[in-house]
């Protein structure tokens, strides 16, 4: 890996939001392609963070800092990636379900998915079944991710899946769910395609859904 890509990886791992923008611009000035910076600078950094997080060696605040640093670099790269018509890993629509205002975990999933090369459409929080249905109709994502932190709002996940079935859209999208009270057995019970207990595993699941390693 070139020195500057290594520095970009390290800036992600360290959550160094201030330096990463300069480093990204320097890399572009040096003639590196936006895609190369994403694939060989940001993603290895985020992969490392994901592994450390799963292993319990990094914690939520550090992962959030890393994700924000990556986001700052992505803000520079995104217009260039779009220009080049770069093939992204797939499209993920995310939202915290209706009645639920908790979005820290969902934001983490969003940033980690972006870091893994997915286009992410974040519908925000308090997202009702019909909003998900509209998003699937209009944006044709590969994956929907629903987050719930309240036992009372988990039911909205089931209602969303039913609404997608009724709209005839269920088979064209994979559905993953998560959030502290959510479990694999709940996912099985409501007919979701998968559950992940943390943002790094959510990325693995999304990759599995679209057939990316
Ligand atoms: C921060 C917080 C808040 C903040 C939310 C701020 C925000 N912008 O999100 C505020 C103060 C607003 C809040 C409000 C309330 N809260 Co609150 N809150 C929490 C708290 C302390 C932390 C949640 C959090 O952010 N965790 C950190 C993130 C990173 O973890 P996470 O969300 O689980 O996400 C990870 C995974 O679950 C997974 N994941 C998450 N989403 C997704 C999605 C997909 C697709 C996948 C695959 C994976 C995935 O990946 C994430 C990253 O690894 C929890 C307690 C706790 N320790 O969990 C209570 C908690 C969730 N809150 C609770 C309650 C009761 C409330 C209120 C009702 C309180 C009140 N009486 O007003 C309100 C509800 C408001 C509403 N309508 O939503 C209860 C819920 C109880 C229950 N079983 O239903 C908890 C458990 C506290 C408690 N012990 O009582 N809360």
């Amino acid at each position: 890996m070139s020195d500057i890509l290594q520095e970009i990886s390290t800036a992600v791992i360290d959550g160094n939001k201030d330096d990463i923008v300069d480093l990204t611009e320097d890399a572009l000035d040096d003639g590196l392609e936006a895609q190369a910076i994403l694939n060989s600078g940001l993603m290895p950094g985020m992969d490392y963070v994901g592994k450390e997080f799963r292993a319990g060696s990094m914690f939520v605040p550090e992962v959030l800092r890393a994700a924000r640093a990556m986001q700052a670099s992505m803000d520079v790269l995104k217009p260039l990636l779009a220009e080049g018509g770069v093939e992204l890993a797939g499209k993920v629509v995310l939202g915290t379900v209706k009645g639920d205002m908790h979005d820290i975990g969902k934001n983490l999933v969003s940033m980690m998915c972006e870091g893994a090369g997915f286009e992410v459409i974040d519908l925000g929080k308090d997202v009702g079944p019909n909003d998900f249905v509209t998003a699937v109709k209009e944006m044709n994502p590969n994956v929907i991710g629903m987050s719930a932190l309240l036992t009372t709002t988990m039911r909205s996940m089931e209602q969303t899946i039913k609404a997608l079935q009724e709209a005839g859209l269920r088979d064209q999208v994979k559905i993953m769910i998560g959030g502290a009270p959510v479990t694999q057995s709940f996912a099985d019970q409501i007919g979701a395609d998968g559950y992940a207990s943390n943002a790094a595993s959510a990325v693995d699941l999304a990759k599995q859904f679209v057939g990316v390693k």
Side-chain angles (χ1 to χ4, degrees), residues 53 60 94 99-106 108-109 125 145-152 176-181 195-199 202 205:
F53 181 55
V60 168
L94 283 178
D100 203 319
M101 303 301 160
H102 296 86
D103 65 356
I104 297 169
K106 183 265 297 165
L108 211 48
V109 173
K125 48 198 175 186
M146 288 186 271
S147 181
L149 264 287
L150 298 171
T151 42
T152 47
M176 61 180 184
I177 61 173
Y195 153 79
S197 63
N198 61 60
L205 195 57

Side-chain angles (χ1 to χ4, degrees), residues 88-167:
L88 290 161
K91 204 187 278 185
V92 179
V93 163
L94 283 178
T96 301
V97 296
K98 194 165 179 58
D100 203 319
M101 303 301 160
H102 296 86
D103 65 356
I104 297 169
K106 183 265 297 165
N107 292 345
L108 211 48
V109 173
S110 167
M111 290 190 269
M112 296 279 279
C113 282
E114 280 206 337
F118 284 93
E119 177 186 355
V120 175
I121 297 135
D122 188 341
L123 302 179
K125 48 198 175 186
D126 195 20
V127 181
N130 289 337
D131 302 321
F132 280 107
V133 168
T134 305
V136 172
K137 267 189 203 149
E138 290 178 358
M139 292 156 201
N140 196 24
N142 310 85
V143 182
I144 284 185
M146 288 186 271
S147 181
L149 264 287
L150 298 171
T151 42
T152 47
T153 57
M154 284 165 67
R155 282 291 145 207
S156 184
M157 293 174 158
E158 186 176 15
Q159 284 156 6
T160 301
I161 294 177
K162 284 210 176 110
L164 285 165
Q165 274 160 354
E166 279 159 18

Side-chain angles (χ1 to χ4, degrees), residues 6-18:
Q6 181 65 59
E7 282 180 65
I8 288 173
S9 271
T10 306
V12 172
I13 295 163
D14 293 346
N16 190 341
K17 198 176 154 198
D18 294 334

